[in-house]
Amino acid sequence: MSEGRKAARTDSELVAQANTTFYEAMEEGDLDTLSGLWLDDPEERVSCVHPGWPVLTGRGEVLRSYALIMANTEYIQFFLTDVAVSVRADTAVVTCTENILSGGPAEESGELGPLVGQLVVATNVFSRTSEGWKLWSHHGSPVLAETDEEEDEEPSA
């Protein structure tokens, strides 16, 4: 195996690990770890699109959004599927499906309220830095799932 192929595989593994760490930090409500994963370079402006939100640009705005989400989410768990990593030079793209289970406190008891499931397709763009792979952009879009009935219907002629 050539050295180039070996290095590319190693980069893919490092990017995959950075991507996993991103979701683990969200699950744990660890804003410090999450902050450390985002690119901190004024020349490379970071961006983020949460499902249903407008585009957020700039490190401060992006990190504030995560702080807000974490403060208002009692429980969140990500089950990632369809994960694909592509690396070109100093840029990497990860696409995946976020199978999200989340819940907030019940209104009166203070215990965890009902859990809600959601499907989101995500694209995470990473940039290689001297400290490792850092998030440059995250874009999540909700998946509007079709019911079995809709899939079985024949198109009308």
Side-chain angles (χ1 to χ4, degrees):
M1 183 181 296
S2 73
E3 285 298 314
R5 284 184 165 255
K6 190 175 183 181
R9 183 173 47 198
T10 301
D11 285 340
S12 292
E13 290 170 357
L14 292 170
V15 169
Q17 182 56 56
N19 194 66
T20 298
T21 302
F22 169 64
Y23 289 101
E24 288 173 348
M26 282 289 296
E27 289 178 347
E28 295 165 7
D30 186 346
L31 189 59
D32 289 337
T33 296
L34 189 110
S35 296
L37 291 168
W38 281 88
L39 194 60
D40 191 6
D41 181 346
E43 292 183 26
E44 304 294 344
R45 193 165 195 173
V46 299
S47 65
C48 180
V49 178
H50 298 295
W53 291 37
V55 65
L56 304 173
T57 56
R59 185 175 161 80
E61 193 172 343
V62 168
L63 294 179
R64 273 191 296 280
S65 75
Y66 282 103
L68 180 64
I69 290 168
M70 289 177 180
N72 290 292
T73 305
E74 185 80 15
Y75 174 85
I76 192 164
Q77 189 171 10
F78 294 89
F79 301 94
L80 301 182
T81 57
D82 308 315
V83 178
V85 179
S86 299
V87 178
R88 284 274 160 102
D90 292 336
T91 303
V93 175
V94 178
T95 56
C96 61
T97 301
E98 302 172 352
N99 302 269
I100 305 169
L101 190 59
S102 63
E107 288 187 27
E108 296 189 20
S109 69
E111 295 177 13
L112 187 63
L115 296 177
V116 177
Q118 181 181 14
L119 279 180
V120 172
V121 290
T123 302
N124 297 319
V125 180
F126 291 85
S127 180
R128 184 194 318 264
T129 71
S130 59
E131 291 105 32
W133 290 95
K134 301 292 182 178
L135 265 165
W136 191 355
S137 182
H138 167 79
H139 186 123
S141 296
V143 174
L144 304 177
E146 295 179 347
T147 65
D148 288 342
E149 244 178 55
E150 291 170 340
E151 291 174 4
D152 292 340
E153 287 179 10
E154 292 291 322
S156 56

